[in-house]
Amino acid sequence: MKIGVYICECGINISSTVDVSKVAKKIGKLSGVAVSRNYKYMCSDPGQEMIKKDITALGLDRVVVASCSPRMHEPTFRNTVEEAGLNPYCFEMANIREHCSWIHHDREKATQKAYELVSGSVARAMGLEPLDRKEVGVTPAAMVVGGGIAGIQAALSIADEGFKVYLVEKEPTIGGRMAQLDKTFPTLDCSACILTPKMVDVSRHPNIELLAYSEVTEISGYIGNFTVKVNKKPRYVDEEKCIGCGVCAEHCRLKGTVPNEFDMNKGKRGAIYAPFPQSVPLKYTIDPEKCLMLTRGKCGKEPRCVENCPRDAIDFKQKESIVELNVGTIVVATGFDLFDLSVKPEYGYGKYDNVITGLEFERIVSASGPTGGKVRLNGKYPKNVVFIQCVGSRDRKGPGNEYCSRVCCMYTAKQAHLVREKLPDSHITVYYTDVRAFGKGFEEFYNRIKKEGVTYRRRELDDAIEVFQKDEKTYVKAKGYKDAEADLVVLAVGLVPKSGSKELAHVLNIQNSGDGFYLEAHPKLRPVDTMTDGLFLAGCCQSPKDIPDTVSQANAAASRASIPLARGKVEINPATSVVDEDLCVGCRTCEKICSYSALEYDEERGIMKANEVLCKGCGSCTAACPSGAISLRHYRDTGVMYQLEALLREGGTE
Amino acid sequence: MSSFEPRIVAFLCNWCSYAGADLAGTSRIKYPPNVRTIRVMCSGRINPMFIVNALQEGADGVLISGCHPGDCHYSKGNYYARRRYQVMKNILEYIGIHPDRVRMSWVSAGEGQKFADVINEVIEGIKALGPAEEIRRR
Ligand SMILES: Cc1cc2nc3c(=O)[nH]c(=O)nc-3n(C[C@H](O)[C@H](O)[C@H](O)COP(=O)(O)OP(=O)(O)OC[C@H]3O[C@@H](n4cnc5c(N)ncnc54)[C@H](O)[C@@H]3O)c2cc1C
Ligand code: FES
């Protein structure tokens, strides 16, 4: 065996704590090591060239690089050795940066540890076997989960590239939160004016199939070849027949009695409804929890919707249906909810009806909202309007969130402006801690709002703030200020992951970061990828963000998701399980353990067979097999044992 | 005894705990150099023989770490690992090895500080137990 070992200095990232030349010298004495060198940057062009030259000149058959985490550069160096004609799986990496130089001070001990880590990798390299890279075909279609602005943009971009897109939205319409907003900071464009044309584009795009009022329930397969089960909930309205004329809603016996979620329950709808006039698809939906027919089996002599629908579209017998989709890649764009205020009683939300959330304010101020855009409460125009920022955010002590929600400073400024515009004589006060005006045009926008006569009052985050009523008047109490009288209090409530997003993470096999938002594969270099190949993230499901950032991220995710579709094939992991036919006794223990049905029982021969395409290479079966008949290629028991021995060969307690 | 520096082998799953250890590194969180890591794709891959072997070859303690329950990249591997770990503890006790020499933890890719905390705890625990001479091969 001829092993080449390359110790990276990583500038001074490794060499400042680890004596790299000492490690290289010592490793050079190990049996099987043909050459051992250290170099400033192994991943640079000259570094990679050095490896390639050695492979050719010295006939190396194994290569070990000791540098950063293999999660970073393993693919890089696999390509390097392959270019010089060595099998990419005859390569092994030792992590002496994240797992050594960056976490230790003591140079001598860190050098010894680095040596042991590298010698472990050298031992493991001896046990490696060449594996063939394998490619499989790709289904040239994508699925986008969530039809807010993130999902809409991602779907349009992928579809424009020429691929089929299934857009799955759980509500009766796409549009998400942006559809609920009135104007948008910092430019004050009308939200509906810029969003609804995009919604229409979705409905008209020949490559997009919209599955609204639907949810993903199951997913199997792998990048390039996912099979997804989608549950289409019954609307009790035949989508083929409904033309969205709205005559049914006009005649519904419950018209004007059911709180409309789209208006944050500030407006009323009937039991048959479309969330808002520009809904896409513009198909009416019957609320199964409210409709008299569906809850009691009777609605007058005959339901008025049935009586009046010109298209005979009402169908109370409709059932949910399961649609199966085959897609190559998936974009997740499930957005956000607002922080739950029930754990913060001090704001008086839910107790006083003149304390509302920022999102409720958006509906009230919107021309298409329940008050027709009039900022009016119980028939009166408020004189004193108070905004409170950071509600549920930047809370170091809990029960709020520690993170900043990124959009509240600016939407508060925007809403203060809208109040000033509609009620020129009102007094507007904003309680804030820091104004984070970091985006393009944000600081300018904030300065402008202050000039419009909005009083900004700074307070410390940890100081108590309280909304209370006395003699039928409402006040805001904050340390250092006289109690402020308020006819209307608007809370800048922070953002949290969409309800159900943890369950969806389990279905999709993606991860959450500590704050509950979906975790990206790398915070800087792979910000829209997930750890699961073929799944990508866009919008507020990944972290709170404004519309410009959401749209940029959606386009990024769309472009990432299109790459495998355009290539038409993807590489699959060849490090899969293999059954030793002589040892297998056909006990079928492994069959029950495998999550991917990759182990099949061969009735005729009474033994198991491993399917290389289905196997994902976790290796659970190898540890479970009572007869030791299954091994995982590239991670065979012997390799791990060699590595263990070498790691522990030196030092010890004696 | 105070100068005893235990040697610990940590088997880390690639998707969560190894990534958590990477994050501890990128965040420059310092912890003592007693641990040698071995990367496996999933905690479910860890064969109980690896643990016995590690102790025989000179380790004083072994850490097994994987994704939090429900978060395994391969959905159930960490449940199998947990079950084997429980059985493993009984066997160790039976053959005369203190079961606390082997520990299991859940560390996610976002928990760099937790990884360092776990390592510190393991080192302290093994220091209290002393060297694992009872099973040493050499
Ligand atoms: C009060 C307020 C005011 C704001 N004002 C502004 C502003 O002026 N300017 C600005 O730039 N930004 C503003 N924002 C931020 C803006 O709302 C977000 O940037 C934007 O809505 C994010 O879009 P999204 O698609 O990621 O999420 P969302 O808009 O939340 O859309 C997510 C979509 O996914 C769907 N969904 C969720 N779960 C599932 C599931 N399991 N299956 C299928 N579908 C699912 C949802 O029903 C929804 O349609 C404001 C936010 C708030 C709260
Ligand atoms: S991948 Fe982490 S425990 Fe299975």
Side-chain angles (χ1 to χ4, degrees):
Chain A
M1 188 136 301
K2 282 186 176 167
I3 308 174
V5 184
Y6 302 87
I7 322 273
C8 183
E9 294 163 22
C10 194
I12 56 162
N13 279 304
I14 294 172
S15 59
S16 62
T17 338
V18 171
D19 185 342
V20 282
S21 53
K22 187 171 166 192
V23 174
K25 254 189 226 125
K26 219 170 147 194
I27 289 288
K29 296 193 187 120
L30 293 176
S31 87
V33 175
V35 60
S36 175
R37 306 180 196 274
N38 54 288
Y39 185 66
K40 204 150 197 76
Y41 289 107
M42 281 317 303
C43 60
S44 67
D45 269 352
Q48 295 190 41
E49 277 311 312
M50 180 196 281
I51 299 176
K52 287 198 241 173
K53 265 198 206 123
D54 283 353
I55 292 176
T56 322
L58 306 172
L60 301 179
D61 47 18
R62 298 286 182 278
V63 167
V64 173
V65 170
S67 56
C68 51
S69 173
R71 298 178 70 258
M72 178 83 200
H73 271 318
E74 193 173 57
T76 315
F77 291 116
R78 275 193 179 149
N79 289 339
T80 312
V81 302
E82 194 174 27
E83 279 163 26
L86 188 63
N87 184 283
Y89 289 85
C90 291
F91 168 77
E92 165 67 8
M93 233 173 143
N95 183 348
I96 57 167
R97 194 179 72 177
E98 284 85 342
H99 291 202
C100 189
S101 72
W102 274 351
I103 50 171
H104 304 315
H105 288 302
D106 186 321
R107 191 170 167 82
E108 201 179 314
K109 284 186 177 152
T111 303
Q112 175 63 19
K113 174 170 172 181
Y115 166 73
E116 290 173 23
L117 288 175
V118 182
S119 68
S121 293
V122 169
R124 178 156 186 260
M126 297 207 189
L128 294 177
E129 62 201 313
L131 296 178
D132 290 333
R133 290 201 195 245
K134 287 204 173 68
E135 284 187 327
V136 292
V138 168
T139 311
M143 173 173 73
V144 176
V145 188
I149 182 60
I152 290 173
Q153 186 60 47
L156 286 171
S157 293
I158 300 172
D160 280 348
E161 286 187 58
F163 301 108
K164 171 101 197 170
V165 181
Y166 301 96
L167 176 56
V168 180
E169 165 59 55
K170 79 172 172 191
E171 299 297 330
T173 175
I174 56 171
R177 298 292 184 196
M178 188 174 168
Q180 296 177 292
L181 307 181
D182 178 36
K183 302 274 188 319
T184 53
F185 66 75
T187 47
L188 297 174
D189 310 68
C190 139
S191 193
C193 313
I194 55 178
L195 175 68
T196 50
K198 281 199 179 282
M199 294 167 60
V200 174
D201 287 348
V202 165
S203 70
R204 276 209 304 245
H205 205 297
N207 285 342
I208 299 182
E209 188 172 326
L210 177 56
L211 294 111
Y213 212 38
S214 301
E215 276 181 75
V216 174
T217 54
E218 225 181 285
I219 189 165
S220 59
Y222 47 90
I223 179 171
N225 298 278
F226 291 107
T227 304
V228 185
K229 282 198 178 138
V230 176
N231 181 356
K232 248 175 128 0
K233 293 175 273 188
R235 285 180 191 263
Y236 303 103
V237 171
D238 187 332
E239 286 193 30
E240 299 288 314
K241 292 183 183 163
C242 176
I243 49 165
C245 65
V247 170
C248 51
E250 276 307 309
H251 289 87
C252 177
R253 284 201 167 82
L254 296 182
K255 182 184 170 194
T257 65
V258 181
N260 189 359
E261 304 81 353
F262 181 79
D263 284 331
M264 300 309 290
N265 301 332
K266 294 284 167 203
K268 298 268 171 42
R269 58 170 169 84
I272 186 162
Y273 69 106
F276 58 103
Q278 302 101 317
S279 293
V280 168
L282 189 51
K283 306 287 173 193
Y284 278 71
T285 306
I286 296 181
D287 183 340
E289 274 157 31
K290 293 289 168 2
C291 168
L292 297 174
M293 252 334 251
L294 290 172
T295 52
R296 299 185 203 163
K298 199 169 157 39
C299 172
K301 221 158 132 210
E302 200 189 349
R304 287 196 186 142
C305 51
V306 177
E307 241 170 38
N308 288 284
C309 176
R311 305 270 300 170
D312 243 349
I314 312 292
D315 176 7
F316 288 110
K317 291 202 192 69
Q318 217 175 49
K319 294 263 167 334
E320 63 174 32
S321 59
I322 304 288
V323 186
E324 205 175 276
L325 309 174
N326 294 310
V327 297
T329 51
I330 297 170
V331 175
V332 185
T334 48
F336 68 94
D337 271 332
L338 290 189
F339 175 79
D340 175 11
L341 278 171
S342 62
V343 296
K344 293 254 175 197
E346 62 269 32
Y347 293 105
Y349 180 77
K351 189 168 165 198
Y352 310 129
D353 62 1
N354 56 345
V355 179
I356 64 173
T357 67
L359 210 44
E360 288 165 356
F361 180 84
E362 294 283 341
R363 294 315 301 147
I364 287 173
V365 80
S366 164
S368 63
T371 58
K374 294 203 169 65
V375 182
R376 202 166 48 182
L377 233 91
N378 306 325
K380 275 199 293 203
Y381 291 101
K383 274 207 183 65
N384 300 296
V385 181
V386 176
F387 290 88
I388 305 176
Q389 292 198 177
C390 295
V391 175
S393 308
R394 302 183 65 200
D395 187 349
R396 284 166 288 199
K397 292 185 290 192
N401 297 308
E402 192 179 349
Y403 56 84
C404 161
S405 286
R406 278 179 76 101
V407 294
C408 324
C409 286
M410 283 300 117
Y411 81 58
T412 299
K414 167 188 77 178
Q415 293 176 349
H417 166 83
L418 296 173
V419 172
R420 173 60 68 238
E421 198 176 70
K422 306 233 160 170
L423 308 169
D425 301 328
S426 57
H427 296 286
I428 307 173
T429 310
V430 178
Y431 286 96
Y432 77 108
T433 297
D434 305 287
V435 168
R436 296 187 163 167
F438 50 83
K440 184 169 179 175
F442 287 13
E443 185 70 19
E444 298 89 322
F445 182 68
Y446 167 53
N447 286 336
R448 170 180 159 194
I449 303 310
K450 275 196 297 192
K451 279 199 203 107
E452 288 176 1
V454 175
T455 310
Y456 270 78
R457 287 186 170 175
R458 188 169 197 286
R459 55 178 283 273
E460 291 302 323
L461 274 175
D462 290 343
D463 288 346
I465 187 157
E466 193 197 339
V467 181
F468 67 97
Q469 281 189 345
K470 205 175 136 192
D471 305 332
E472 283 172 32
K473 280 187 176 165
T474 308
Y475 299 89
V476 176
K477 183 190 242 0
K479 192 175 161 187
Y481 297 101
K482 205 172 140 241
D483 294 351
E485 193 182 332
D487 305 306
L488 174 64
V489 180
V490 183
L491 304 176
V493 185
L495 277 50
V496 296
K498 190 82 187 171
S499 68
S501 66
K502 190 138 187 111
E503 293 74 12
L504 186 66
H506 284 170
V507 172
L508 298 173
N509 192 17
I510 57 176
Q511 297 179 328
N512 301 298
S513 37
D515 53 16
F517 290 97
Y518 292 146
L519 182 68
E520 61 284 351
H522 190 282
K524 285 146 206 155
L525 302 177
R526 295 177 65 196
V528 301
D529 298 12
T530 64
M531 299 252 224
T532 303
D533 288 345
L535 271 88
F536 305 90
L537 304 173
C540 287
C541 67
Q542 185 260 340
S543 72
K545 53 179 69 71
D546 55 25
I547 297 163
D549 284 358
T550 296
V551 172
S552 312
Q553 201 183 22
N555 281 328
S559 129
R560 297 285 296 149
S562 301
I563 293 171
L565 308 184
R567 272 196 76 217
K569 49 192 179 188
V570 283
E571 201 177 305
I572 54 163
N573 173 22
T576 55
S577 287
V578 50
V579 180
D580 184 331
E581 300 189 349
D582 295 334
L583 292 180
C584 177
V585 295
C587 70
R588 302 175 79 159
T589 307
C590 54
E591 194 181 9
K592 285 174 227 108
I593 274 196
C594 182
S595 303
Y596 308 103
S597 316
L599 289 147
E600 295 147 23
Y601 184 61
D602 182 337
E603 296 276 355
E604 228 163 78
R605 304 173 59 202
I607 54 168
M608 301 303 299
K609 271 191 76 112
N611 182 321
E612 292 179 10
V613 174
L614 293 179
C615 176
K616 296 242 178 90
C618 69
S620 280
C621 55
T622 62
C625 177
S627 27
I630 315 185
S631 25
L632 180 62
R633 294 185 181 95
H634 204 64
Y635 295 93
R636 292 188 191 264
D637 285 1
T638 42
V640 178
M641 301 292 195
Y642 289 162
Q643 187 177 4
L644 260 177
E645 264 170 52
L647 276 180
L648 296 163
R649 199 182 299 137
E650 276 198 24
T653 45
E654 291 83 6
Chain B
M1 220 38 187
S2 62
S3 64
F4 167 54
E5 285 299 339
R7 298 162 65 72
I8 291 155
V9 171
F11 290 95
L12 310 177
C13 86
N14 177 60
W15 304 96
C16 292
S17 300
Y18 194 92
D22 278 358
L23 181 60
T26 356
S27 320
R28 314 295 201 275
I29 299 167
K30 305 285 185 234
Y31 54 88
N34 303 57
V35 178
R36 309 287 178 267
T37 49
I38 293 189
R39 181 167 74 129
V40 287
M41 279 300 129
C42 174
S43 63
R45 167 69 187 94
I46 300 164
N47 191 324
M49 274 310 294
F50 295 171
I51 296 157
V52 176
N53 244 53
L55 294 168
Q56 280 183 331
E57 294 297 334
D60 301 300
V62 176
L63 171 69
I64 300 168
S65 191
C67 312
H68 285 266
D71 286 353
C72 170
H73 189 71
Y74 308 98
S75 87
K76 288 181 303 198
N78 49 1
Y79 293 129
Y80 301 130
R82 179 164 61 185
R83 219 175 293 160
R84 274 180 217 133
Y85 168 69
Q86 292 304 344
V87 176
M88 187 73 211
K89 288 206 123 181
N90 294 336
I91 294 173
L92 288 177
E93 197 154 24
Y94 184 72
I95 59 175
I97 299 172
H98 201 296
D100 290 351
R101 292 210 180 272
V102 183
R103 237 196 90 167
M104 183 160 198
S105 70
W106 314 122
V107 175
S108 80
E111 295 175 326
Q113 183 60 52
K114 180 171 174 196
F115 183 80
D117 293 347
V118 167
I119 294 299
N120 280 314
E121 279 168 33
V122 171
I123 294 174
E124 286 317 305
I126 301 295
K127 273 191 175 166
L129 290 176
E133 265 140 13
E134 55 272 42
I135 188 180
R136 208 68 102 222
R137 200 173 262 161
R138 295 168 281 142

